[in-house]
Amino acid sequence: MRALRFHRFGPPEVLRVDEVAPPAAPAPGFATVEVHAVGVNFADTESRRGLYLADRPLPRVSGFEGAGVVTACADAALVGRRVAFLAAGSAADACEVERARLIALPDGLSFEEGAAFPVQGLTAWHVLHGVARVRPGDVVCITAAAGGVGLLAVQLARRAGAHVIGVTSSPEKAEAARAAGADEVVRPDGLDALEGRIDVFLDSVGKDVFDAGWRMLRPFGRWVSFGTASGAPPAFDAERLLERSLSVSGYWLRAPHPPEAWARGVDEVVGLLEARQLRLHRSALPLERAAEAHEALERRASIGKWVLTLR
């Protein structure tokens, strides 16, 4: 079968489609999925560069999510089911997936849509509702608001009754954030204008917005970090939190979640997508052109989500 792999760390050009052996019969608690589409995330580019999960052996199959059809599982009732899923090494014709990370894919959602939401949709939901606990009337500032997580977080924050301010780097991205529901859009060099206005700061950028983040937050403000695209922020003195009763939290989708919280996030995100109350902005390329998607992500030229199609 085909698998998108890299044999060394480096630029997008190190990606190549190899012929590899298909998965063996799935282990207990796992299922084999015939993959139809794969999502591309910033984590894929960081993994390829050796900056994320660098201790895993090479060559390595790219990908952390996808959508397809279950072809083998100890639970025969799952065989033939359409699913979205979370699993490392998803960018291949077939992937072994932990059953707990299978997500039933409604017939009304395509495989491309199924591959576009697991990482970013669930991250956006848990950052807002599980960590920040956004409330009606909150002023929420979202960095990279035209990215895959950002556009979904804008929509979810608006649904929660927040006033949403998106941070984007170009007129095209600003337009996309407004179309998703942002009440205001600012450029990164305009963050100082938000001083003292923000209740919830959702940040995936890191170092480049660190200083502005402190100035933006109101007393009792909540800062949630879920990425460091510009590099890790510097260490800070915890006493800075005391001055305005601030809280700083982090979120990682791979961390263990309480089962009920995980299930609620899945149910709400899938339900909103199925009802077309949550929109996915996506672009698709065939698996063989994966390097183009990686390159666009690294140039910060992307709006929304990249998906690779296999069938």
Side-chain angles (χ1 to χ4, degrees):
M1 70 173 191
R2 295 173 302 163
L4 179 70
R5 301 200 298 179
F6 48 95
H7 293 247
R8 61 181 177 88
F9 298 128
E13 291 74 27
V14 302
L15 293 169
R16 70 190 209 191
V17 177
D18 292 336
E19 286 292 325
V20 302
F30 286 78
T32 300
V33 176
E34 176 188 78
V35 181
H36 287 239
V38 177
V40 182
N41 298 285
F42 192 70
D44 293 279
T45 69
E46 296 284 272
S47 176
R48 192 207 69 237
R49 294 169 60 204
L51 302 177
Y52 180 65
L53 302 177
D55 57 338
R56 294 191 175 182
L58 296 173
R60 188 184 308 168
V61 180
S62 189
F64 293 99
E65 66 184 339
V69 177
V70 176
T71 58
C73 184
D75 183 353
L78 287 176
V79 176
R81 296 281 184 90
R82 302 171 78 250
V83 294
F85 65 87
L86 291 157
S90 63
D93 283 325
C95 181
E96 187 173 79
V97 182
E98 187 179 359
R99 284 184 57 186
R101 292 296 179 257
L102 293 173
I103 300 168
L105 185 64
D107 290 339
L109 296 178
S110 69
F111 288 119
E112 283 189 24
E113 290 173 307
F117 81 81
V119 168
Q120 295 174 337
L122 293 174
T123 293
W125 190 92
H126 285 286
V127 163
L128 278 162
H129 297 294
V131 184
R133 297 178 182 172
V134 66
R135 301 183 291 258
D138 279 342
V139 178
V140 177
C141 180
I142 303 171
T143 61
V149 176
L151 289 175
L152 294 171
V154 167
Q155 295 174 70
L156 291 170
R158 277 295 301 270
R159 289 188 60 83
H163 179 91
V164 182
I165 302 175
V167 183
T168 65
S169 59
S170 72
E172 295 78 15
K173 291 182 178 182
E175 183 179 350
R178 289 192 185 95
D183 297 286
E184 303 175 49
V185 181
V186 301
R187 292 180 61 88
D189 59 7
L191 291 177
D192 283 344
L194 303 179
E195 183 171 347
R197 288 190 57 194
I198 305 303
D199 297 296
V200 176
F201 182 40
L202 305 182
D203 176 43
S204 60
V205 172
K207 178 171 65 70
D208 287 355
V209 299
F210 179 77
D211 290 334
W214 290 107
R215 295 191 292 270
M216 286 191 291
L217 287 172
R218 289 174 174 167
F220 294 92
R222 290 100 74 198
W223 181 338
V224 184
S225 171
F226 59 98
T228 55
S230 68
F236 67 92
D237 185 344
E239 287 194 1
R240 296 186 71 176
L241 302 174
L242 307 182
E243 298 166 359
R244 283 172 287 152
S245 297
L246 304 178
S247 62
V248 177
S249 305
Y251 178 75
W252 191 33
L253 189 66
R254 290 173 56 87
H257 290 57
E260 64 278 6
W262 180 263
R264 184 183 171 204
V266 167
D267 289 346
E268 292 203 11
V269 170
V270 172
L272 290 171
L273 289 170
E274 187 177 19
R276 302 301 174 183
Q277 295 175 4
L278 187 62
R279 295 180 292 110
L280 294 165
H281 188 302
R282 69 187 192 280
S283 302
L285 288 170
L287 183 70
E288 291 76 10
R289 294 174 61 186
E292 296 175 41
H294 277 234
E295 191 268 340
L297 277 173
E298 290 182 318
R299 283 196 297 112
R300 309 293 192 270
S302 298
I303 293 176
K305 179 79 171 189
W306 281 102
V307 173
L308 304 177
T309 57
L310 288 86
R311 290 175 170 82

